[in-house]
Amino acid sequence: MPPRTAVFFHAHPDDEALLTAGTMAMLAAEGHRVVLVVATAGERGLADLGPGEALGETRMKELYQSAAVLGCARVECLGYGDSGLSPKGGVADERPDNAFIDADTEKAATALAEILREEEADLLTIYDPAGGYGHPDHLQVHRVGKRAAEIAGTPIVLEATVNRDPLLRLLRLAGKVYRFPPEFDVRTFESAYAAGETITHRVNVRRYSRQKRAAMAAHVSQATGGDSDRTLAVMLKVPGPLYRLVFGTEWYVRRDLPPGTRVRHPFDPGPK
Ligand SMILES: [Zn+2]
């Protein structure tokens, strides 16, 4: 396979580690060019530092570290403000003027499309229409990413997601072993991400679990600071063998493939 270029579009630093790190490490190891773009610096993430510019800087440094582990050739931030998340989920009332959720879709998409054109990207990853677990910035990644691919004519668009069927099974099982914080409600995952039957790509990334775990660990501020109910903190507590089992697969939906398609590589063209 000749080298190709894949652009991974994420909302915040650490999303790449959770959702697509194994695929990124795999493509880089295969000789493809891997580019990481985040919409925001994640300056409203929860951390000991407290939200703000300093946290944004710290999180960008963590992002560069994660990107280095994964073999990324380029890292860009679109420079939008982290919209944050209200305690009840959904859009926070108090948010920065340039919050990504308030961004003009066309304008943001044009900025991303410029990178796609520069890179002559063969593939762009965005998020599923549910925005994963529903963070407003993740919903915006879906909208902006979809439009950017249209503008730039990027041939392959993959929605990075999680197969929620085994995730729900795992969370219910984990709830019996680990003590989740009271705010952590497993039921919120019932409409999150994507149902197994809609998923077209199941990428086996078990060989890259070391890199994936290192990418997660690079986001120190999100794994250790503030409340410990964040996904990353919970995930990093998972022991090695279980981790490889759980994080051994990354899932994507490619909407232009016939439903029921099952392929294993991002560049697999699917059934002819
Ligand atoms: Zn995020």
Side-chain angles (χ1 to χ4, degrees):
M1 196 190 290
R4 297 166 92 177
T5 299
V7 176
F8 288 79
F9 183 37
H10 285 285
H12 315 105
D14 87 355
D15 290 323
E16 86 294 351
L18 284 163
L19 279 169
T20 64
T23 309
M24 295 166 82
M26 181 186 83
L27 292 179
E30 290 172 357
H32 301 291
R33 182 173 166 86
V34 175
V35 174
L36 172 59
V37 181
V38 287
T40 81
E43 70 281 2
R44 308 224 13 199
L46 301 166
D48 288 339
L49 278 170
E53 227 163 83
L55 179 57
E57 269 171 42
T58 301
R59 294 196 68 187
M60 282 308 291
K61 274 186 209 145
E62 293 169 352
L63 184 72
Y64 287 122
Q65 235 174 57
S66 161
V69 168
L70 301 177
C72 294
R74 179 180 175 189
V75 181
E76 291 290 340
C77 178
L78 295 186
Y80 286 100
D82 182 346
S83 309
L85 191 63
S86 101
K88 291 181 232 94
V91 184
D93 294 331
E94 253 180 74
R95 50 187 196 272
D97 291 340
N98 65 339
F100 187 46
I101 189 65
D102 300 319
D104 179 75
T105 307
E106 198 63 21
K107 213 172 138 193
T110 304
L112 178 58
E114 230 166 84
I115 297 170
L116 295 173
R117 279 200 185 116
E118 255 172 50
E119 291 289 343
E120 297 177 48
D122 300 288
L123 180 153
L124 171 69
T125 71
I126 61 173
Y127 296 150
D128 57 70
Y133 60 92
H135 189 296
D137 285 337
H138 287 230
L139 291 157
Q140 186 76 317
V141 160
H142 174 79
R143 291 187 287 262
V144 167
K146 200 174 158 193
R147 179 67 189 129
E150 281 169 18
I151 297 171
T154 307
I156 303 173
V157 178
L158 297 184
E159 296 173 3
T161 189
V162 171
N163 183 346
R164 73 173 168 236
D165 308 342
L167 176 73
L168 279 168
R169 278 199 298 276
L170 176 90
L171 286 173
R172 288 185 186 122
L173 195 70
K176 293 181 182 156
V177 183
Y178 299 102
R179 188 191 297 269
F180 288 127
E183 316 83 69
F184 189 89
D185 187 354
V186 171
R187 280 170 305 175
T188 58
F189 285 90
E190 281 165 9
S191 55
Y193 300 103
E197 71 215 30
T198 65
I199 289 167
T200 54
H201 288 58
R202 288 164 170 79
V203 182
N204 182 340
V205 297
R206 237 171 255 195
R207 283 179 64 189
Y208 303 94
S209 58
R210 188 185 55 80
Q211 288 94 323
K212 184 163 179 163
R213 198 166 186 137
M216 286 193 187
H219 296 282
V220 179
S221 68
Q222 298 310 290
T224 57
D227 301 333
S228 59
D229 66 329
R230 262 152 306 132
T231 325
L232 203 55
V234 174
M235 300 301 188
L236 279 170
K237 284 183 196 143
V238 177
L242 180 64
Y243 181 94
R244 272 190 293 282
L245 192 72
V246 176
F247 294 96
T249 306
E250 286 173 355
W251 301 271
Y252 301 90
V253 179
R254 185 171 164 182
R255 300 274 162 197
D256 57 340
L257 291 183
T261 298
R262 280 180 174 233
V263 294
R264 302 218 161 258
H265 193 279
F267 288 126
D268 190 324
K272 285 274 147 37

